[in-house]
Amino acid sequence: MTVISNNRMLRRFLSPLLILALLSGFMGYARAAEETAPQLPTFDIPALSAEAAASPLPNIMVVATGGTIAGAASQGDKTNFQNYAAGTYKMADMVAQLPTHKNADVSTFQFGNKGSGSYSMKDLYDLSLAVDQALNVYDGVVVTTGTDTMEEIAYFLDLTVRSEKPVIVTGAMRPWDVIGTDGPANLYQAIKVAASNKTKWYGTVIMLNDVIQAAREVTKSNAHRLDTFDTPMFGALGYIDDPAVRMYRLNARALKAGTPEWATPFDLRTISKEDLPIVEIAYSYQEAGGGAIRALVEDGAKGIVTAGTGAGGISAKMSQARSAAIQKGVIFVTTTRTGSGTMSGGSNGVIAGDNLNPQHARIMLLLSLAFSKDFNTVKDWFETVGAQDIVMDDTAPPAWPADAALASDAQTTDSINLSWPQATDLTRVAGYAIYKGTDETPIAKVASSARTYTAKGLSSNTSYTFTVKAFDDLGNESAGLTGTFKTGSSGSGSSGGAGTPPSSNELTVPSGGSGDLSVYDNSITVHVPSGATSEELKITIEKLAQAGGLVQADDVLLSSIFEVVKNKAGHFLVPVTLTFKFDTSMVKEGKKPSIFYYDETKKQWIEMGGTVNGSTISVTTDHFTKFAVFAVDAAPAAPDFSDISGHWAAASIRSAVSAGIVNGYSDGTFKPELTVTREEFIAMLMRALKSDDPGAALSFKDTSVIGAWAKAAVAQAVSAGITSGYPDGTFRPGSKISRAEMVVMIAKALKLTTEEDAVTSFSDHAEIPVWARGAVKAVADKGIVQGRLNNRFVPEGTATRAEAITVIMKLLDTK
């Protein structure tokens, strides 16, 4: 039986405490529900001294990683600018050589001492957490590093540091101890910028040569010159004109200061450094071959950035290699080798890199793939995280056309259908809010694409006033469109039992006798056949005026809710027949009417089905309770489709469709190669398991975006321990399910015993997450799942509809 289970910009400078609270609740994106929280490193960040705590000056921490700025000239030659040993001097000694800073109390932490190119991505993971740890105590942080990969290190910090406090990256083009060195001045000035607090909310910035530049936009443009760092297209953020720090523009992050949107999705506290994937760059040139891409994929790359010619073009051979790699699940980002320019468009498997240069795009893609394997999610992050597409604050509310009016083109005894025209806004209409009567809280909000709404659960023959208001992304509401409409009249009805007067909603049935009762304009008819009862019964029908929490907003109710009761306990000896009238106009394509009864013990609706005859539906029952007609998914007319002939999974697909586990599409196709989302897979799985558990109450942060058709299945899966969502409190119903996630759910559904240190037979065993290895081995040992090409399990690969159905049907075969 089927079970129906019962803005953009806020004010810019909110309290930092409030923002920290918001950011601390913004947990990570890619941890599977079955994995425990990662063990995070800690660092010996020095505590504030008593003198620093009492000082009125800001407390600034310098986190040192080495690089040219800490370099020593070879053989002590103070005139040798190019031959030196990077990362020689310790930061504490370097700061001690500076004049006592006028603007800050300075402390140091030696994170490392080597060239910037010698740091791994795992090292940068640690560096970011060290910076955040320092910012828990200090007012700002200066990070010193080599200039060779400074822009990548800075952009990594920009995307991952959670604190809004200033983070300044600096270095030098000449070593610390040569004549004309820029190191001491850059270090002193970077501390000044951090102490000024003027880059708070800007994210990470780079400061060399008295120029302040955004980490996302800056690049090293010359191998030797002191003014090497440049920001193509956009220009610098500001300058240091002693003694002032002057900021001349806001970057995209600063424009979101004080809002939840300021934080990026990449919270390293929620992942392990082992989750950072391999992401590479492929450079295009005249008649470039495809070997580089093929080799990078073979070497384990999960993402590849192409540095294309002109507006991102790549050679024909590279394009062929890229297409083959996309089929293996590799995600590509398009950038240009020209040094500047915005990429747009993109297609399946290929994301436009906006204005990111190749090395910046690699950092962005690497972090994105560490937090999500879903292509659309990653694409959305490239389009929104740090992208500087300026939209002026929209203070004006949406407006209606001059002749706009709220209308109703359909009313039943318990529902009124509302309709309205399209509103307009300076930026965009985000949706419409529907109010009933004088209520200040809307009864519903619908998307901007909606133009109608049906208010249900109303009393018959009653007038209701509704108001619809359009709202924009900032929550500005338009003037209301108001209208008053009346529900239909229920009428009185008739009955045919012995001793039953006309126009009554009661029926008396003698012992062994029969009777019929039809009331509320024949909206419900009860037929009691002979022999159904061995004693006289009195049957009463009442139509519920209010749903009283019995119907959820996503349920499509086709009739009123009727409560049918009798004065004697026990079931009928012979089933009685119930016939209901239902609203055929509300039965949409792919849906059908079905009668449900309400289980008072389980507090849920249970599907009974029924035989449809025009606008009526009938069913037999041996007991009375509350009844109603709902719209449910209609089964396909025949379990065959135009696109599965000869497909390897055709037999499984046909069996699954016949069993009601999955449906095809209205165009007669099944789309076997379409990838499956988390909610789609769970819906298929729970239909296959045919659980009668009403399910757990869903408390995910994104419960509202779980499809109505999937909520019952998700609730059952949560109750059965098959899934529990993600550590950040979300379920992410629309995310593509990974093969690792799918197999873990299968193992839990079968209650298989899994080993923590299990070793699978797949060639990519090392890539299977630790939390999934036991499930992968257990499910593979039962023959439910197999590897792909070269016996690779491909744990982060997505599952197609054909694969998901095949796995589920094999699961059923093992039960």
Side-chain angles (χ1 to χ4, degrees):
M1 290 184 175
T2 300
V3 177
I4 295 183
S5 299
N6 256 358
N7 145 85
R8 279 193 315 254
M9 184 85 73
L10 301 175
R11 295 185 64 84
R12 183 162 293 161
F13 297 105
L14 295 176
S15 162
L17 291 177
L18 172 60
I19 299 308
L20 287 175
L22 289 170
L23 299 184
S24 66
F26 192 86
M27 299 300 290
Y29 275 74
R31 302 295 293 178
E34 295 78 11
E35 189 172 9
T36 58
Q39 294 295 315
L40 300 179
T42 57
F43 307 91
D44 295 326
I45 304 295
L48 285 178
S49 65
E51 294 79 7
S55 170
L57 295 177
N59 292 294
I60 302 302
M61 167 62 68
V62 179
V63 177
T65 72
T68 299
I69 190 173
S74 295
Q75 301 178 348
D77 183 354
K78 305 297 183 181
T79 65
N80 195 337
F81 298 155
Q82 300 304 322
N83 293 321
Y84 55 89
T88 298
Y89 295 104
K90 296 293 182 67
M91 183 52 62
D93 297 331
M94 294 163 65
V95 169
Q97 294 178 37
L98 297 177
T100 300
H101 212 289
K102 303 175 183 178
N103 304 97
D105 291 319
V106 184
S107 300
T108 65
F109 173 68
Q110 195 74 41
F111 177 86
N113 212 6
K114 55 187 177 181
S116 60
S118 299
Y119 285 95
S120 68
M121 303 312 300
K122 292 180 181 179
D123 293 331
L124 299 192
Y125 171 98
D126 288 343
L127 176 62
S128 177
L129 294 177
V131 169
D132 257 324
Q133 185 178 328
L135 289 171
N136 287 333
V137 178
Y138 291 83
D139 299 310
V141 163
V142 171
V143 178
T144 61
T145 185
T147 60
D148 282 354
T149 60
M150 177 182 285
E151 62 186 278
E152 291 152 86
I153 293 173
Y155 191 40
F156 188 97
L157 295 176
D158 181 55
L159 290 173
T160 58
V161 170
R162 312 314 292 170
S163 175
E164 79 283 3
K165 295 178 183 178
V167 178
I168 318 298
V169 176
T170 195
M173 291 298 291
R174 295 175 177 175
W176 185 261
D177 58 3
V178 299
I179 61 171
T181 178
D182 53 335
N186 284 343
L187 178 58
Y188 189 91
Q189 296 290 66
I191 294 170
K192 182 188 296 184
V193 175
S196 74
N197 205 38
K198 287 194 173 183
T199 65
K200 180 180 180 181
W201 299 112
Y202 274 81
T204 299
V205 302
I206 284 179
M207 196 299 301
L208 281 88
N209 213 36
D210 292 347
V211 183
I212 304 167
Q213 309 193 64
R216 185 183 195 274
E217 303 159 357
V218 70
T219 190
K220 187 174 182 179
S221 63
N222 189 281
H224 304 296
R225 302 287 77 80
L226 271 62
D227 60 351
T228 178
F229 282 95
D230 182 46
T231 299
M233 298 174 63
F234 301 112
L237 295 173
Y239 302 90
I240 305 171
D241 297 325
D242 196 45
V245 174
R246 303 180 187 276
M247 302 301 291
Y248 289 101
R249 72 177 178 91
L250 298 171
N251 65 353
R253 298 204 70 190
L255 284 167
K256 296 177 181 178
T259 77
E261 294 177 349
W262 180 86
T264 73
F266 311 125
D267 189 345
L268 297 181
R269 297 170 299 179
T270 66
I271 67 169
S272 163
K273 65 178 71 175
E274 305 302 326
D275 294 325
L276 297 173
I278 298 174
V279 175
E280 304 287 1
I281 299 174
Y283 197 90
S284 185
Y285 44 88
Q286 193 75 40
E287 201 181 1
I293 289 178
R294 289 191 292 272
L296 293 175
V297 174
E298 183 65 26
D299 205 35
K302 304 301 181 185
I304 296 176
V305 176
T306 57
T309 57
I314 60 176
S315 69
K317 292 179 180 179
M318 285 186 73
S319 181
Q320 291 172 359
R322 181 174 67 180
S323 297
I326 290 172
Q327 293 300 314
K328 297 180 180 180
V330 179
I331 292 179
F332 282 77
V333 172
T334 297
T335 66
T336 176
R337 71 180 196 180
T338 62
S340 65
T342 300
M343 303 298 102
S344 59
S347 59
N348 185 33
V350 182
I351 296 170
D354 192 63
N355 66 316
L356 296 174
N357 65 25
Q359 53 269 33
H360 285 161
R362 174 180 173 265
I363 298 297
M364 179 68 178
L365 182 58
L366 185 148
L367 286 169
S368 296
L369 292 178
F371 285 80
S372 177
K373 303 302 183 291
D374 179 59
F375 174 82
N376 289 326
T377 299
V378 175
K379 180 174 181 290
D380 180 69
W381 287 341
F382 266 86
E383 293 172 351
T384 57
V385 176
Q388 193 155 341
D389 185 9
I390 305 300
V391 178
M392 297 301 293
D393 286 350
D394 179 8
T395 59
W400 298 105
D403 57 349
L406 183 63
S408 175
D409 56 3
Q411 305 89 35
T412 68
T413 57
D414 62 352
S415 68
I416 294 174
N417 186 67
L418 305 171
S419 62
W420 55 87
Q422 180 176 356
T424 58
D425 189 66
L426 291 177
T427 55
R428 76 177 190 106
V429 174
Y432 299 92
I434 297 93
Y435 298 83
K436 185 169 73 172
T438 59
D439 292 347
E440 296 183 357
T441 302
I443 59 174
K445 287 186 175 182
V446 297
S448 58
S449 58
R451 299 288 182 274
T452 63
Y453 174 79
T454 301
K456 304 173 185 175
L458 309 177
S459 299
S460 62
N461 198 31
T462 304
S463 294
Y464 290 90
T465 298
F466 295 95
T467 299
V468 174
K469 297 180 180 180
F471 59 89
D472 60 21
D473 287 311
L474 290 180
N476 300 314
E477 283 193 332
S478 69
L481 297 181
T482 301
T484 300
F485 312 99
K486 190 174 184 180
T487 53
S489 175
S490 63
S492 56
S494 61
S495 64
T500 303
S503 304
S504 171
N505 64 342
E506 292 183 355
L507 169 68
T508 299
V509 181
S511 174
S514 63
D516 293 280
L517 177 61
S518 183
V519 294
Y520 302 108
D521 283 343
N522 300 321
S523 293
I524 177 174
T525 299
V526 178
H527 169 68
V528 182
S530 299
T533 176
S534 60
E535 54 188 338
E536 183 180 278
L537 289 181
K538 179 178 290 186
I539 297 172
T540 304
I541 302 176
E542 293 290 341
K543 182 172 71 172
L544 302 188
Q546 300 292 334
L550 296 174
V551 180
Q552 295 188 2
D554 294 329
D555 297 335
V556 181
L557 189 62
L558 303 180
S559 73
S560 298
I561 300 175
F562 298 97
E563 185 165 27
V564 187
V565 297
K566 53 187 175 64
N567 63 335
K568 298 292 178 67
H571 289 195
F572 289 103
L573 303 177
V574 177
V576 303
T577 300
L578 302 177
T579 301
F580 298 83
K581 291 172 65 175
F582 64 93
D583 188 352
T584 57
S585 67
M586 296 180 65
V587 183
K588 307 302 182 184
E589 182 179 357
K591 300 290 183 179
K592 67 177 182 179
S594 187
I595 298 172
F596 285 72
Y597 75 87
Y598 190 75
D599 188 315
E600 298 286 357
T601 302
K602 296 181 178 180
K603 304 300 182 186
Q604 65 187 34
W605 287 99
I606 307 297
E607 185 175 6
M608 304 174 72
T611 302
V612 177
N613 183 13
S615 62
T616 66
I617 182 171
S618 301
V619 73
T620 59
T621 181
D622 63 355
H623 70 288
F624 284 155
T625 179
K626 297 181 180 72
F627 299 91
V629 184
F630 291 87
V632 298
D633 291 333
D640 208 355
F641 306 95
S642 61
D643 58 348
I644 67 170
S645 178
H647 193 279
W648 61 268
S652 295
I653 291 170
R654 292 187 180 99
S655 297
V657 172
S658 296
I661 296 172
V662 67
N663 295 322
Y665 291 84
S666 59
D667 62 357
T669 63
F670 183 77
K671 296 180 174 54
E673 300 308 313
L674 200 65
T675 52
V676 176
T677 65
R678 285 168 52 81
E679 64 181 351
E680 287 172 337
F681 180 77
I682 286 179
M684 295 178 193
L685 179 61
M686 300 316 293
R687 289 191 202 114
L689 297 176
K690 296 183 178 179
S691 171
D692 58 0
D693 184 348
L698 298 180
S699 58
F700 300 116
K701 293 179 181 177
D702 53 356
T703 294
S704 61
V705 301
I706 299 175
W709 51 271
K711 279 186 177 176
V714 174
Q716 289 176 324
V718 170
S719 179
I722 294 173
T723 184
S724 58
Y726 290 83
D728 65 351
T730 63
F731 179 73
R732 298 174 217 167
S735 295
K736 305 298 184 185
I737 193 168
S738 71
R739 284 169 55 82
E741 288 179 316
M742 178 178 70
V743 169
V744 168
M745 291 181 188
I746 291 290
K748 291 186 175 183
L750 287 174
K751 296 181 172 57
L752 298 180
T753 301
T754 59
E755 304 171 6
E756 291 185 2
D757 55 350
V759 178
T760 72
S761 61
F762 295 108
S763 61
D764 58 347
H765 169 80
E767 296 180 22
I768 302 174
V770 175
W771 52 265
R773 289 176 182 173
V776 171
K777 184 178 188 304
V779 174
D781 287 349
K782 283 190 166 291
I784 296 174
V785 69
Q786 297 177 339
R788 290 182 175 174
L789 184 66
N790 298 324
N791 192 37
R792 297 179 68 246
F793 178 69
V794 194
E796 299 303 333
T798 55
T800 65
R801 281 165 58 82
E803 289 175 323
I805 283 301
T806 300
V807 168
I808 289 174
M809 298 309 291
K810 287 183 177 180
L811 172 152
L812 295 178
D813 289 341
T814 66
K815 297 189 70 177

